[in-house]
Amino acid sequence: KSPRLQKSRSRPLMAFVTFKTGASLYGSRRTAQGVISELVKSSTFASVWDEFDASLAQKLAETRVTDEDAHLTSTCLQELTLVAPNLGKGWGVRAFGSTCNGFARHGSDLDATCCRQVSVDLPEPFLPDLLEDMARLLEEQPNFTIVEKVTSARIPILRMKFKQALDVDLSL
């Protein structure tokens, strides 16, 4: 095998060996690399790699998005979509982040933004005021709990809980 292949295969294994041996990736990295170097040369490499592969597969399975997660996210987006038009003509909600790009895991939050259609010819709203208006509208909804209003950020954000189960960050 080429050294390049061995090196690329040993990086994820180094993290696993570091985890298994308790060696710190930051404080004892050379030690972990030395252990891996010996493993790659030995006949136990395949069995350690198989254990690593099985462990990784198990962890990924534990964090897979469940049907309940998907339903909760979908319901939340539907409710946000129904509330947004109350801000005025052309307002809607769009999801972004891990929910959209396929990287969501069990327990991931929902990142969404409240935006207005470009075709609506109205003056730009003052975002902190818009955040307050949206917060007031969502406080009337029984499934939303406002956790924090981040009005001083360049992009104002409402941090919420949906049905006390899903963390939601709504930007404006």
Side-chain angles (χ1 to χ4, degrees):
K1 293 181 181 177
S2 71
R4 182 176 172 88
L5 178 59
Q6 287 180 349
K7 185 176 181 181
S8 68
R9 286 190 73 187
S10 69
R11 284 185 182 154
L13 184 60
M14 183 172 74
F16 181 72
V17 169
T18 300
F19 171 75
K20 286 296 220 180
T21 62
S24 168
L25 267 175
Y26 302 103
S28 306
R29 187 174 179 134
R30 289 185 182 162
T31 303
Q33 287 174 336
V35 169
I36 288 174
S37 178
E38 292 303 313
L39 280 172
V40 169
K41 295 174 188 174
S42 74
S43 61
T44 61
F45 178 77
S47 66
V48 171
W49 183 260
D50 289 344
E51 183 183 352
F52 167 73
D53 193 43
S55 176
L56 182 60
Q58 177 186 352
K59 290 295 180 193
L60 288 173
E62 289 171 5
T63 63
R64 186 171 291 125
V65 174
T66 64
D67 289 344
E68 182 180 335
D69 293 332
H71 178 71
L72 193 64
T73 300
S74 175
T75 304
C76 179
L77 279 171
Q78 288 171 0
E79 290 192 25
L80 286 170
T81 300
L82 292 173
V83 172
N86 293 317
L87 291 172
K89 183 179 178 184
W91 285 98
V93 172
R94 302 282 185 267
F96 66 94
S98 62
T99 301
C100 294
N101 65 23
F103 288 106
R105 307 305 301 162
H106 175 68
S108 291
D109 71 343
L110 169 62
D111 296 308
T113 188
C114 187
C115 51
R116 188 171 57 189
Q117 294 173 355
V118 177
S119 62
V120 177
D121 190 25
L122 294 171
E124 283 297 313
F126 184 60
L127 293 180
D129 289 347
L130 188 64
L131 180 96
E132 288 297 330
D133 291 345
M134 188 63 162
R136 183 182 38 76
L137 291 168
L138 289 169
E139 285 170 342
E140 296 171 3
Q141 304 299 313
N143 291 326
F144 288 97
T145 303
I146 306 293
V147 175
E148 181 182 11
K149 298 174 191 174
V150 184
T151 56
S152 61
R154 188 173 66 84
I155 306 293
I157 296 174
L158 280 177
R159 295 191 194 283
M160 304 175 284
K161 279 279 197 191
F162 179 71
K163 293 188 176 184
Q164 298 303 320
L166 176 65
D167 291 322
V168 181
D169 289 341
L170 180 66
S171 61
L172 299 166

